[in-house]
């Protein structure tokens, strides 16, 4: 029996040449990351148990991205704890201040994850790197602390589900719409414990940024990881990072075992929106009643890359944000922001009346920089619309792509660019 | 080890944002986190839970964010164990790693009613409904995880392993 990409990467990092779904295996970890919410807990747990050993400092990344710039004393103390830990253990990849980006935008950009890698992170959206043809999955702080100490972790080999995308794409259909549509089809536990392998001609035609968006939301279907075969575009992206490490490209065998295969005809997919309070509540934007908004958020580890900002700017150019709406734009990293500035997108945003925010997770998880009051509603390019996710338990979040979030900011209600 | 407690019911897809909203994540103290446990779902959750609560949930309990603060908040709130039809995978690992007992049994979650007194034998995974007399067996843990559970969490397990490597 052949293996899937996920199984091959796990096998290559274990002592076995062949692994099977359901097996528990111990694996070498190429990179184990944590952020300013999860790292403090990892560090304190290590201290509590008197473990001072770090297997390899160069395989740890610490990103102070969630409550950055520090929103209060407690957040500042958490970053200080990370900083001291990084210094004490000579951890080279600690990002704060002007170097900070949202972790899942930053790591690929910096070449810290490449095809064939096995990455674990104390953040559920660690699955983003599957877009590079890497195996990556989210865990908790203690698991990551264990991976730092051992350089290894245990994994249950997941069953794989294949998602095959064929067809045309209508206007304003992006990777975000494909993944929202898919989650709507299978539900928030539709891929629980499984690997979601995204393939087909539509996937090959997507930009890297859109591929990151899709892999990023695999967790929203309960998946362990999302993954795509690395191709020419992937290798070009990786080479541009300047990394000297050599990518390893895996392909699923023709006789690999699939738990299920979904064939998705993209020609009929319309711009999607996920209604409160689950990412599976997806509909075509055209099918929902008039839904007024008081906020629009464009950014996050899901949609904070340069392509996303280009989409938003293409809608906002020559238009103004509706007087009743606050539009917050969060570039995913300093280099995304710099590129946006070079291309004139920053001017488009500011002229339209948007607020340009620093690279940060910001309001996505209701942390800071755009939290909602009771009764407020936001359209957002982020990944979750759970109760209270962006602020008050009585606020609402609707998830969409950047075209829709920008068009809605202009009109004051949820709509698409072709209806402006 | 035998746990005794009273059932408090919650639904399907209980996500970690409602278990512990992100605005409280600047703390890692279980007792501080416990004060806001399930706040997003029911502000009166802790009052409703009473003494020695056992959470009985539907499918996909603990979905969403990887925040380990979620099982910490539940444990800090004095919850004895969580029984669910199924768990989201990160929550499952986190709970075992910090020593919060979890049991997966679809049958038990279908039958156990709010307020019922139950006893759980963690060693063999049996759940007894003392109010109705019904008994259920939860899914067994694989040997590696049993070892982690016996040691009281992942880091005690790793520490012992590192010490063995040195000697």
């Amino acid at each position: 029996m052949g293996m899937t990409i996920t199984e091959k990467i796990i096998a290559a990092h274990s002592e076995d040449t062949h692994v099977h779904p359901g097996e528990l295996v111990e694996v070498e970890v190429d990179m184990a990351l944590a952020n300013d919410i999860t790292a403090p807990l990892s560090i304190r747990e290590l201290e509590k148990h008197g473990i001072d050993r770090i297997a390899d400092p160069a395989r740890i990344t610490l990103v102070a991205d969630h409550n950055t710039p520090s929103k209060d004393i407690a957040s500042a103390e958490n970053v200080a704890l990370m900083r001291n830990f990084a210094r004490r253990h000579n951890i080279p990849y600690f990002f704060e201040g002007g170097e900070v980006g949202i972790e899942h935008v930053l790591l690929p950009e910096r070449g810290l994850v490449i095809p064939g890698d096995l990455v674990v992170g104390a953040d559920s959206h660690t699955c983003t790197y599957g877009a590079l043809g890497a195996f990556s999955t989210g865990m908790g702080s203690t698991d990551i602390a264990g991976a730092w100490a051992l350089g290894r972790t245990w994994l249950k080999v997941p069953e794989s589900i294949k998602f095959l995308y064929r067809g045309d794409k209508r206007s304003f259909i992006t990777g975000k719409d494909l993944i929202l549509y898919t989650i709507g089809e299978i539900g928030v536990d539709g891929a629980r414990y499984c690997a979601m392998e995204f393939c087909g001609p539509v996937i090959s035609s997507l930009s890297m940024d859109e591929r990151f968006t899709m892999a990023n939301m695999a967790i929203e279907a309960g998946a362990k990881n999302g993954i795509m075969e690395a191709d020419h575009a992937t290798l070009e992206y990786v080479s541009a990072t300047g990394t000297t490490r050599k990518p390893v490209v895996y392909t699923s065998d023709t006789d690999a075992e699939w738990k299920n295969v979904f064939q998705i005809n993209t020609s009929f997919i319309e711009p999607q929106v996920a209604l409160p309070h689950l990412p599976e509540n997806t509909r075509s934007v055209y099918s929902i009643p008039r839904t007024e908004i008081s906020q629009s958020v464009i950014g996050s580890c899901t949609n904070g890359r340069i392509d996303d900002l280009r989409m938003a700017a293409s809608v906002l150019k020559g238009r103004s944000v509706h007087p009743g709406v606050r539009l917050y734009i969060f570039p995913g990293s300093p280099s995304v922001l710099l590129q946006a500035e070079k291309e004139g997108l920053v001017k488009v945003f500011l002229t339209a009346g948007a607020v340009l925010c620093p690279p940060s997770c910001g309001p996505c998880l209701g942390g800071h920089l755009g939290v909602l009051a009771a009764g407020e509603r936001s359209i957002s390019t982020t990944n979750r619309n759970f109760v209270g996710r962006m602020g008050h338990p009585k606020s609402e979040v609707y998830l969409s792509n950047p075209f829709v979030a920008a068009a809605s900011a202009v009109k004051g209600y949820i709509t698409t660019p072709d209806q402006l | 080890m035998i746990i005794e407690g009273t059932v408090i019911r919650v639904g399907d897809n209980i996500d970690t944002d409602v278990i512990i909203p992100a605005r409280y994540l600047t703390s890692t103290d279980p007792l501080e986190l416990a004060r806001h446990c399930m706040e997003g779902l029911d502000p009166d959750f802790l009052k409703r839970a009473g003494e020695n609560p056992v959470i009985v949930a539907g499918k996909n309990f603990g979905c969403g964010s990887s925040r380990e603060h979620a099982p910490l908040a539940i444990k800090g709130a004095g919850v004895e164990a969580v029984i669910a039809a199924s768990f989201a995978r990160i929550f499952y690992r986190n709970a075992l790693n910090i020593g919060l007992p979890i049991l997966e049994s679809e049958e038990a979650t279908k039958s156990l009613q709010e307020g019922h007194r139950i006893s759980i034998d963690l060693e063999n995974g049996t759940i007894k409904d003392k109010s109705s007399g019904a008994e259920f067996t939860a899914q067994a843990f694989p040997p590696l995880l049993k070892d982690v559970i016996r040691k009281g969490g992942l880091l005690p397990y790793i520490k012992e392993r590192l010490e063995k490597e040195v000697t």
Side-chain angles (χ1 to χ4, degrees), chain A residues 267-284:
Chain A
S267 306
F268 301 102
I269 298 179
E270 293 179 334
Q272 298 287 300
V273 61
L275 276 47
H277 290 286
L278 281 177
E280 70 183 22
N281 294 337
T282 56
R283 311 266 189 287
S284 156

Side-chain angles (χ1 to χ4, degrees), chain A residues 24 26 37 41 44-46 49-51 53 67 72 74-75 78 122-124 137-143 146 150 152-154 188-189 192-193 219 224 278 365 384 386-387 389 391, chain B residues 13 15 17-18 22-23 25-28 39-40 59-60 63-69 72 86-90 92-94 97-98 104 142 144-145 154-156 158-159 161-162 165:
Chain A
L24 255 57
E26 195 170 295
I37 283 181
L41 194 48
R44 290 194 179 109
E45 283 298 303
L46 286 174
H49 292 92
I51 300 173
R53 179 182 185 267
N67 287 325
D72 54 19
S75 331
N78 283 335
D123 188 279
S124 60
T137 191
M139 293 181 176
S141 298
T142 297
D143 263 318
L150 287 181
R152 309 170 70 84
T153 193
W154 69 267
V188 291
D189 68 343
R192 203 172 57 90
Y193 278 85
I219 178 70
K224 180 169 213 147
L278 281 177
L365 71 162
R384 291 188 176 133
F386 299 146
V387 173
R389 172 74 179 178
Chain B
N13 300 318
D15 62 81
D17 274 274
V18 303
R23 57 188 174 277
L25 299 185
T26 50
S27 173
T28 57
E39 196 178 282
K59 62 171 188 170
N60 204 25
C63 62
S65 155
S66 71
R67 61 190 70 164
E68 200 165 294
H69 310 63
L72 280 178
S86 63
F87 289 93
R89 55 161 286 278
I90 304 178
Y92 179 92
R93 289 183 78 119
N94 285 348
N97 287 346
I98 66 149
E104 200 170 277
L144 168 74
L145 298 189
L154 182 70
L155 291 190
I158 286 179
K159 192 176 182 189
R161 196 170 134 176
L162 287 172
E165 278 175 23

Side-chain angles (χ1 to χ4, degrees), chain A residues 320-393:
Chain A
S320 296
V321 173
H322 191 273
V325 177
R326 310 173 296 268
L327 169 58
Y328 295 122
I329 297 180
F330 288 85
S333 72
S335 65
V336 169
L337 177 52
L338 195 61
Q339 186 61 30
E341 201 280 325
K342 273 187 199 157
E343 295 180 19
L345 312 185
V346 167
K347 195 173 172 193
V348 170
F349 297 148
L350 297 181
T351 309
V355 181
L356 187 63
C357 300
S360 172
C361 299
C364 169
L365 71 162
H368 65 160
L369 304 172
V371 173
L372 298 172
E376 287 193 321
R377 185 181 292 133
S378 182
I379 184 89
S380 179
T381 68
T382 54
N383 41 56
R384 291 188 176 133
N385 54 356
F386 299 146
V387 173
R389 172 74 179 178
M390 200 176 272
H392 196 279

Side-chain angles (χ1 to χ4, degrees), chain A residues 100-332:
Chain A
V100 94
I102 302 170
E103 50 197 338
H104 310 309
V105 178
L106 196 67
L107 270 78
E109 235 180 54
R110 295 264 180 162
L112 296 176
V113 183
I114 61 170
D117 274 356
L118 190 149
V119 179
V120 295
D123 188 279
S124 60
H125 292 107
T126 302
C127 54
T128 307
Y129 317 129
L132 291 167
F135 172 86
S136 60
T137 191
M139 293 181 176
S141 298
T142 297
D143 263 318
I144 294 309
W148 290 347
L150 287 181
R152 309 170 70 84
T153 193
W154 69 267
L155 292 174
K156 182 164 138 187
V157 180
E159 293 182 290
S160 289
I161 306 175
K162 187 194 270 197
F163 295 86
L164 193 56
Y165 299 85
R166 283 204 192 93
D168 300 323
K169 270 193 315 166
R170 295 186 179 193
S171 307
F172 311 116
I173 295 301
T174 70
K176 182 66 167 282
D177 302 284
L178 302 184
I179 190 67
L180 283 176
Y181 178 86
T182 305
I183 296 165
E185 289 292 298
I186 67 172
V188 291
D189 68 343
R192 203 172 57 90
Y193 278 85
C194 296
M196 296 174 85
E197 187 168 322
F198 305 107
C199 52
V202 176
I203 301 298
S204 312
S205 74
L206 293 178
S207 70
M208 283 312 295
D209 286 1
E210 289 187 68
R211 297 185 199 182
F212 284 121
T213 302
M214 289 193 72
N216 172 273
M217 287 191 73
I219 178 70
E220 263 51 78
K224 180 169 213 147
N225 67 310
I227 203 154
M228 297 171 186
E229 193 180 310
D231 61 11
H232 182 67
T234 322
L235 296 177
E236 242 177 28
Y237 176 95
V238 171
S239 145
T241 67
T243 179
T244 52
R245 294 178 56 225
K246 292 274 166 283
V248 185
V249 176
Y250 293 99
T251 309
S252 289
D253 293 325
T254 47
D255 59 344
E257 195 180 343
W258 302 99
K259 184 185 182 196
N260 209 340
V261 177
F262 289 91
Q263 311 255 6
I264 294 165
N265 182 350
T266 58
S267 306
F268 301 102
I269 298 179
E270 293 179 334
Q272 298 287 300
V273 61
L275 276 47
H277 290 286
L278 281 177
E280 70 183 22
N281 294 337
T282 56
R283 311 266 189 287
S284 156
V285 180
Y286 301 121
S287 75
I288 64 167
R290 185 178 161 118
T291 309
E292 289 180 357
I293 54 164
S294 44
Q295 182 164 303
S296 173
V297 175
I298 298 174
S300 82
C301 60
T302 312
N303 280 118
R305 298 178 184 80
I306 192 66
D307 275 3
D308 301 308
L309 299 192
R310 286 176 188 143
M311 291 175 202
S314 72
V315 177
L316 293 168
K317 191 164 187 178
R319 296 194 170 100
S320 296
V321 173
H322 191 273
V325 177
R326 310 173 296 268
L327 169 58
Y328 295 122
I329 297 180
F330 288 85

